[in-house]
Amino acid sequence: MIQEIVAAIANELNGYFKLKFGVNENKLVLSNIIDQDGSVAIKSENKVILSIVNITKDGTRGGGMGQNGHNQPTDICMYLLFTAYFNPENYLEALKFLSGVVGFFQVKGMLNHRTLPQLPNHIDPIKVEIVKLSFDELSNMWSAIGAKYMPSVVYRIRSLSVQDSRIRNIDPVLKGY
């Protein structure tokens, strides 16, 4: 489900950039910013990078078994980082595309099948909100990523209900005496 939502957002944003800014190529890529070895993850510049920077529990429902013996959904929030990875000569262009991200979510603050047609049918409407980070939180996030600060914005996607009905319970293996 997570991959379906992120892919739908990326595809819709790329279409939005093409219409709004008259570009022919996809300007948004799904990627980490830094690889595990510390190198830059994407090889081309002048892109907006979409990365998941955190997934947390949301709300009071927390999974487990309900009164009726069925697994209860777990509500989660996803934190999406949109980073303008442009060469220094294109700084204003980076800010233009970052503004495009903000404008996109300003119009589409609630994602559903009407506002995001590529969203799979089994996903309930989800709320999108910008995250206000203090300078300390911002510094900590970029340090954890292992990169120097780049123009960016973080959005919280909430409440995603995750429920895998295929797994009811796991019985321990009984060993002979």
Side-chain angles (χ1 to χ4, degrees):
M1 175 182 68
I2 291 170
Q3 76 281 6
E4 294 170 313
I5 292 169
V6 173
I9 290 170
N11 288 333
E12 192 75 15
L13 254 168
N14 271 317
Y16 177 79
F17 288 159
K18 287 175 182 176
L19 288 174
K20 183 165 181 70
F21 301 125
V23 295
N24 295 322
E25 64 176 314
N26 286 341
K27 291 301 253 182
L28 186 130
V29 295
L30 295 168
S31 177
N32 291 323
I33 297 169
I34 301 296
D35 279 335
Q36 294 296 319
D37 65 3
S39 64
V40 176
I42 66 169
K43 304 307 175 216
S44 60
E45 292 182 327
N46 301 323
K47 301 285 185 184
V48 175
I49 303 170
L50 169 52
S51 308
I52 295 177
V53 291
N54 200 9
I55 298 174
T56 62
K57 182 177 177 269
D58 185 32
T60 57
R61 291 189 307 184
M65 297 300 271
Q67 292 178 357
N68 60 3
H70 296 311
N71 291 334
Q72 296 298 308
T74 299
D75 294 337
I76 63 170
C77 291
M78 261 192 319
Y79 292 81
L80 304 180
L81 173 65
F82 294 86
T83 304
Y85 180 66
F86 284 66
N87 64 39
E89 296 81 33
N90 290 337
Y91 187 72
L92 291 177
E93 194 78 354
L95 299 179
K96 177 176 86 172
F97 279 92
L98 206 53
S99 295
V101 170
V102 174
F104 174 84
F105 285 116
Q106 188 272 325
V107 171
K108 297 182 186 234
M110 182 66 74
L111 301 180
N112 56 41
H113 302 289
R114 185 179 53 76
T115 61
L116 195 63
Q118 297 175 22
L119 198 64
N121 291 332
H122 65 276
I123 296 175
D124 294 331
I126 48 181
K127 185 176 181 181
V128 181
E129 54 195 15
I130 199 165
V131 176
K132 180 182 175 185
L133 296 174
S134 70
F135 285 112
D136 287 340
E137 292 168 325
L138 194 60
S139 176
N140 290 339
M141 181 187 73
W142 282 97
S143 291
I145 291 170
K148 300 290 184 187
Y149 175 79
M150 289 178 265
S152 57
V153 63
V154 177
Y155 278 90
R156 177 177 31 234
I157 307 289
R158 61 187 303 181
S159 268
L160 304 173
S161 286
V162 177
Q163 182 170 21
D164 191 340
S165 60
R166 295 173 299 190
I167 301 173
R168 292 289 179 192
N169 58 9
I170 299 174
D171 294 324
V173 176
L174 298 176
K175 294 183 179 183
Y177 294 100

